[in-house]
Amino acid sequence: MATQLIRPARTLQGSLTIPGDKSISHRYAMLAGLAEGTSRLSNFSTGADPHSSLACMEALGATVSHQGEGPARTIEVTGVAGAFRQPAAPLDCGNSGSTMRMLAGLIAPHPHTFTLVGDRSLTVRPMERIRKPLNQMGAQLDLVDGHAPIVIHGRPLHAIDFTTPIPSAQVKTAVLFAGLQAEGTTSLSESIRTRDHSEHALKAFGATLSRTGDKLSIPGGQKLKAIDATVPGDISSAAFFLCGALLFPDSNLVLDSLGMNPTRAALLDVIAALGGRIKVLTVEEHYGELIGAIQVNPGGVSPSAPFIIGGALTAQVIDELPVLAAIAPYTANGLIIRDAQELRVKESDRIALVARNLRAMGANFTE
């Protein structure tokens, strides 16, 4: 077994551009696959999960081509103009729960039989949460004890008025994608607002939807048109660098072209609360998404008691919680994280794994 030696850093200084946001890349890939025309998606995520979404679009009849390398890379997707074909084999979602859940809503209105599969970890993740609303709309989803593989018997759908039982952007997206193609106007309410990338992406591709308070409404029977778009830098990936900057008193870090969507940028508030100084250098809007450059330095005011993350804030920083937990031993008074049970059913039990590794390094961690 190979051994890699990691030496402690002395500081963290410089500037960098983060690869494209995975959440936005997923949604752009799927909607581009459904739309009419050829979409050009710059700075598409380099992560494996969004590329599982692209592969599924190809299997459903879209054409995908890769142009350029590095920061100049562009993905071109020629969509099916609203009519997915019967795939020749099961749709492989890899390790991506985002692909499986959101794709289910996108394809359920199409008159074919689809089988969605994934790797071993994906087959133990809960999928009942998407079956309930899609079945209410008229689709038929067959699960195995509430898990993948999923067999979807596509058919015309009708609108529903649905309230999400748990905060989940993936469930919300599945319902919106299905509602886009259903008969009537589908409404969805969420007690805790989740990331709104799907709303922005749908509007970018020409769809009409509206929000009134906690309720979203989307009329059915809409057609999508291709777009040219740049994917903002992934703030979840940036979290590792932002947290690292807090560990060294003379850190000076600049992140360019970073996604600063307000439903995701709560991470910046947490970094500031833990003693970071965040300065927004530039900000502009692309298809409803905010993209900017920020500078982070330590030296802000640290909390006088353990900082608490819970409720709506937990939902907004759910993917960043493990790295925040990793730096908690270096803060003055530690960190308390509540309402994070969703981390138990990701590709792994993230709470247990973070606890095990931090304890192994000598941290005091109560699970």
Side-chain angles (χ1 to χ4, degrees):
M1 180 181 295
T3 299
Q4 186 171 6
L5 181 62
I6 302 174
R7 301 184 184 279
R10 296 181 178 180
T11 187
L12 193 62
Q13 297 188 359
S15 63
L16 72 159
T17 300
I18 302 295
D21 186 281
K22 290 193 292 184
S23 295
I24 297 173
S25 294
H26 276 298
R27 289 156 173 82
Y28 280 2
M30 292 186 191
L31 295 179
L34 180 65
E36 177 184 353
T38 299
S39 296
R40 300 183 74 255
L41 308 176
S42 301
N43 196 38
F44 194 86
S45 172
T46 57
D49 286 0
H51 286 266
S52 291
S53 292
L54 282 175
C56 288
M57 290 301 101
E58 286 188 288
L60 290 164
T63 301
V64 177
S65 63
H66 302 252
Q67 311 291 330
E69 299 290 341
R73 65 188 174 278
T74 299
I75 304 292
E76 292 188 353
V77 181
T78 302
V80 299
F84 287 132
R85 72 184 181 192
Q86 173 71 54
L91 297 169
D92 187 356
C93 301
N95 185 238
S96 177
S98 297
T99 300
M100 182 168 283
R101 294 191 180 116
M102 295 190 295
L103 182 61
L106 193 71
I107 62 179
H110 294 258
H112 307 296
T113 298
F114 309 94
T115 301
L116 276 60
V117 299
D119 66 11
R120 180 178 298 180
S121 69
L122 187 53
T123 60
V124 299
R125 297 180 66 176
M127 295 296 159
E128 185 66 40
R129 58 185 62 177
I130 59 168
R131 174 163 66 175
K132 182 177 179 180
L134 294 178
N135 279 6
Q136 288 179 9
M137 299 179 80
Q140 180 184 340
L141 275 70
D142 299 330
L143 307 180
V144 179
D145 296 326
H147 304 286
I150 305 176
V151 178
I152 300 175
H153 305 279
R155 58 189 64 172
L157 304 184
H158 57 80
I160 60 170
D161 189 348
F162 183 71
T163 299
T164 55
I166 58 172
S168 172
Q170 295 174 4
V171 174
K172 174 177 69 174
T173 302
V175 174
L176 290 177
F177 282 3
L180 173 77
Q181 305 165 80
E183 180 180 354
T185 297
T186 295
S187 297
L188 179 141
S189 301
E190 48 182 1
S191 58
I192 295 178
R193 188 172 180 180
T194 58
R195 58 186 63 176
D196 59 5
H197 299 307
S198 295
E199 294 95 301
H200 291 310
L202 283 161
K203 290 179 180 178
F205 281 87
T208 298
L209 69 159
S210 60
R211 174 182 284 276
T212 303
D214 294 332
K215 177 174 285 191
L216 281 165
S217 299
I218 183 165
Q222 300 191 63
K223 304 298 183 183
L224 304 181
K225 297 290 186 181
I227 63 171
D228 286 358
T230 297
V231 179
D234 193 323
I235 197 167
S236 295
S237 298
F240 297 94
F241 299 96
L242 293 169
C243 288
L246 297 185
L247 302 180
F248 306 99
D250 60 345
S251 291
N252 183 23
L253 189 63
V254 174
L255 300 175
D256 294 314
S257 302
L258 185 66
M260 297 176 62
N261 181 302
T263 61
R264 298 281 297 284
L267 170 66
L268 301 181
D269 297 330
V270 175
I271 295 294
L274 294 176
R277 291 184 296 167
I278 303 289
K279 182 178 181 180
V280 178
L281 304 178
T282 63
V283 64
E284 55 187 20
E285 182 178 329
H286 292 268
Y287 286 121
E289 297 286 354
L290 297 181
I291 304 177
I294 64 170
Q295 181 179 23
V296 58
N297 307 95
V301 178
S302 298
S304 57
F307 183 70
I308 299 174
I309 299 175
L313 182 57
T314 296
Q316 291 176 338
V317 297
I318 191 72
D319 289 329
E320 293 81 52
L321 290 176
V323 67
L324 289 169
I327 67 163
Y330 297 94
T331 62
N333 294 291
L335 191 65
I336 296 174
I337 299 172
R338 298 173 176 157
D339 309 311
Q341 59 268 26
E342 186 68 11
L343 290 180
R344 297 284 191 195
V345 292
K346 294 286 189 178
E347 76 295 327
S348 60
D349 183 339
R350 294 185 186 177
I351 294 175
L353 290 173
V354 170
R356 181 192 308 167
N357 284 288
L358 284 181
R359 287 177 185 143
M361 299 177 75
N364 182 5
F365 191 112
T366 302
E367 182 184 354

